[in-house]
Amino acid sequence: MSIGNSQQFVVGNWKMNGRTSDVRKLKGALEGQRSIYRGVVCPPFTLLRDMKEAISEDVALGAQDCSSVEEGAHTGDIAATQLQEIGVQYVILGHSERRKDHNESSEIIALKIQKALEALLTPIVCVGESEAVYENGGTLTFLQEQVRAFLPGLAEAKTRGLPFLIAYEPLWAIGTGRQPRLDEIAAIHRALFEMTGLEALYGGSVKQENYKGILAQECVGGVLVGGESLKPDRFSAMLRGE
Ligand code: PGA
């Protein structure tokens, strides 16, 4: 169990937002500050290099996806090795928006995890149920299925001593201002810990006002922050633990 400890992650997911001017604003907000959490920021591909220059030493760089194959004739895709070459350390995989917008199956996500691990990127693998599943009480069964698909990748990471992160993001909580109750978050994260041995990050409408309550829950390894990570003052304050 981790309560407000410096091993917990605060990960910002910019999604398809941001310009170079926004990177400069975040740089200004991070200037001279020390993060008490393990900060990671995941901008769109076009801003990765600028972001690498902008972030302080204690914040790491992440991408939002990588290809399921090595290299070659795959127009529009980015290989894990290409990300690694420019200093990317983390990669979000299997986000619900990619599962939906790009029909990403669990099999494809498992291949992406494989490529990320080969390039020594730390995958942040997202799982989460729809509102209908949640309402029917099917959350844990659903998560078990999503987890099962990446257990081989997780086992490989463990064998090789590589870090591996998972994030629980209920679809109905993403960008909606709604969230499971704290006791539900704790119960789901405990179940995910039993399935994987990992303390999952929680994502879905995480704000400066509510993140500490979430980080205080059992088996929560951090937070994955969408909209709020686009506000430099708020995101930098969260990294400082404020
Ligand atoms: P949100 O997004 O914080 O805007 O709800 C979280 C996510 O999808 O990673």
Side-chain angles (χ1 to χ4, degrees), residues 34-224:
R34 279 183 62 85
S35 304
I36 71 159
Y37 298 107
R38 298 170 73 176
V40 182
V41 57
C42 306
F45 291 127
T46 51
L47 297 178
L48 283 168
R49 272 184 187 272
D50 287 316
M51 188 64 87
K52 176 143 182 63
E53 298 305 315
I55 48 185
S56 39
E57 261 173 27
D58 56 357
V59 178
L61 187 64
Q64 299 173 18
D65 183 44
C66 72
S67 174
S68 59
V69 297
E70 181 67 40
E71 62 173 7
H74 302 284
T75 304
D77 288 342
I78 307 276
T81 47
Q82 294 175 311
L83 297 172
Q84 192 266 347
E85 189 196 14
I86 61 161
V88 172
Q89 293 168 274
Y90 294 83
V91 61
I92 298 171
L93 294 175
H95 190 284
S96 59
E97 287 152 14
R98 291 211 57 92
R99 291 182 194 255
K100 177 166 163 282
D101 296 351
H102 298 273
N103 293 320
E104 283 191 12
S105 63
S106 289
E107 291 71 28
I108 288 287
I109 294 160
L111 291 171
K112 291 183 176 208
I113 292 170
Q114 191 68 40
K115 290 298 162 209
L117 293 175
E118 282 169 17
L120 301 180
L121 300 181
T122 300
I124 305 173
V125 184
C126 300
V127 295
E129 83 288 1
S130 66
E131 180 152 30
V133 171
Y134 171 76
E135 293 297 346
N136 289 332
T139 298
L140 289 184
T141 313
F142 185 84
L143 294 179
Q144 184 89 56
E145 276 304 305
Q146 285 192 323
V147 164
R148 200 194 313 275
F150 66 75
L151 284 179
L154 175 58
E156 185 192 326
K158 283 184 179 163
T159 306
R160 294 173 57 198
L162 299 174
F164 196 109
L165 297 175
I166 59 172
Y168 168 57
E169 297 203 308
L171 273 51
W172 52 275
I174 294 176
T176 60
R178 299 167 56 212
Q179 284 178 333
R181 294 188 317 268
L182 288 176
D183 63 299
E184 290 177 307
I185 291 178
I188 290 164
H189 282 249
R190 201 178 313 118
L192 284 170
F193 184 79
E194 279 159 20
M195 292 177 211
T196 62
L198 301 173
E199 294 189 335
L201 280 55
Y202 169 81
S205 298
V206 175
K207 309 282 177 216
Q208 194 183 357
E209 287 78 11
N210 61 28
Y211 82 108
K212 282 195 181 166
I214 296 166
L215 288 178
Q217 300 308 305
E218 198 181 339
C219 295
V220 171
V223 284
L224 181 51

